[in-house]
Amino acid sequence: MTTAEILNSIMSTGPHLQPGHVWLAGAGPGDPRYLTLEVAAALGQADIIVRDALVSDMVLKLAPQAEIVFAGKRGGKPSAVQDDITASLIVFARQGKRVLRLKGGDPFVFGRGGEEAEALVDAGIPFRVLPGMTSSLTALASASIPVTMRGISRAITLATGHAAGTEDDVDWLALAKTNEPVVVYMGLKNIEKIVSMLMQGGRAPETPVAVIMSATTPQERIFTSRLETIAVDAEREQFEAPALIVIGDIVSMRSRLGVKE
Ligand code: SAH
């Protein structure tokens, strides 16, 4: 058997998406090569795909038979939008459709997948969760930044920067004290607040920082800087969402591993 035949046989085993069921799946960071085989197979089985803004068109090309519904939220619109998305999943399932709810990265990492799964439980709709590669871990590896590294880091925090400065915020001062690396999702808009809280909490101003935009896509851009300068640099470089901010000494491994900026 060729590799392609073996992959095909793997993809055709396992559960099939049934009419009236919803699968909550992660599409990975963008490049279709980072799809799991399970999600690739699901793309070929769905009648309808409810996608979010981060799912790339290259991924959707794998589902030419499916109706595509856009349910994107960028930068956190009111939660009414989220309620509408959840309600539409339930309506499509009750119409007897095979529903694939497709999110960027992993559905359970800052993806509201947990809330959608809860609503499906409450509505009595059968569902499964299909993991995807979360953008941070993929982006770091492909940028030659080890997520953990003996002698440098013993833990990693994945944080959202979306609510920086609000009541619902992460305790940046406490995170600063761990001295372990932090990867911030949805943080670009609030980068200035975030870095200043980390420095206030004791992180050294010269801590290396990387910003990784549109990881694994043709628009990918990366630059590295220091905690004290990153906010100004990010603005000058005109980085846009989706982007990840990586803060910690692990970032310096990038040049150690031979990457030239
Ligand atoms: N469930 C997703 C995260 C959704 S929140 C996951 O597991 O990756 C949206 C945030 O994810 C973006 O604001 C950005 O911080 C990050 N993100 C998602 N895809 C990205 C990519 N290709 N490159 C850089 N950041 C990305």
Side-chain angles (χ1 to χ4, degrees), residues 29 54 104-106 109-111 134-135 184-186 212-215 242-244:
L54 287 170
D106 181 273
V109 179
F110 300 127
T134 191
S135 54
V184 186
Y185 289 63
M186 297 173 277
I212 309 176
M213 173 181 140
S214 296
L244 296 150

Side-chain angles (χ1 to χ4, degrees), residues 2 8 48 54 72 120 154 167 169 186 194 204-205 224 249 251:
T2 64
N8 261 327
I48 188 159
L54 287 170
L120 293 169
R154 297 132 221 98
E167 265 181 18
D169 198 5
M186 297 173 277
I194 293 166
T224 53
D249 290 333
V251 170

Side-chain angles (χ1 to χ4, degrees), residues 231-244:
V232 174
D233 288 349
E235 173 135 29
R236 190 196 54 236
E237 298 279 333
Q238 299 187 313
F239 269 50
E240 291 168 3
L244 296 150

Side-chain angles (χ1 to χ4, degrees), residues 23 56 200 211:
W23 282 5
S56 75
Q200 217 181 308
V211 179

Side-chain angles (χ1 to χ4, degrees), residues 5-45:
E5 285 165 345
I6 297 168
L7 288 176
N8 261 327
S9 79
I10 294 173
M11 283 171 59
S12 57
T13 55
H16 274 67
L17 180 49
Q18 302 295 327
H21 290 211
V22 177
W23 282 5
L24 291 174
D31 186 327
R33 288 173 299 181
Y34 292 117
L35 283 170
T36 65
L37 295 181
E38 178 175 56
V39 174
L43 279 158
Q45 294 171 17

Side-chain angles (χ1 to χ4, degrees), residues 144-195:
S144 295
I145 301 172
V147 172
T148 62
M149 175 87 197
R150 267 162 64 91
I152 300 183
S153 66
R154 297 132 221 98
I156 183 114
T157 298
L158 307 184
T160 170
H162 168 62
T166 72
E167 265 181 18
D168 199 25
D169 198 5
V170 177
D171 187 346
W172 298 101
L173 301 185
L175 278 189
K177 290 197 176 64
T178 66
N179 241 340
E180 300 289 353
V182 181
V183 182
V184 186
Y185 289 63
M186 297 173 277
L188 214 48
K189 207 169 33 103
N190 293 323
I191 193 164
E192 212 176 317
K193 281 187 206 149
I194 293 166
V195 299

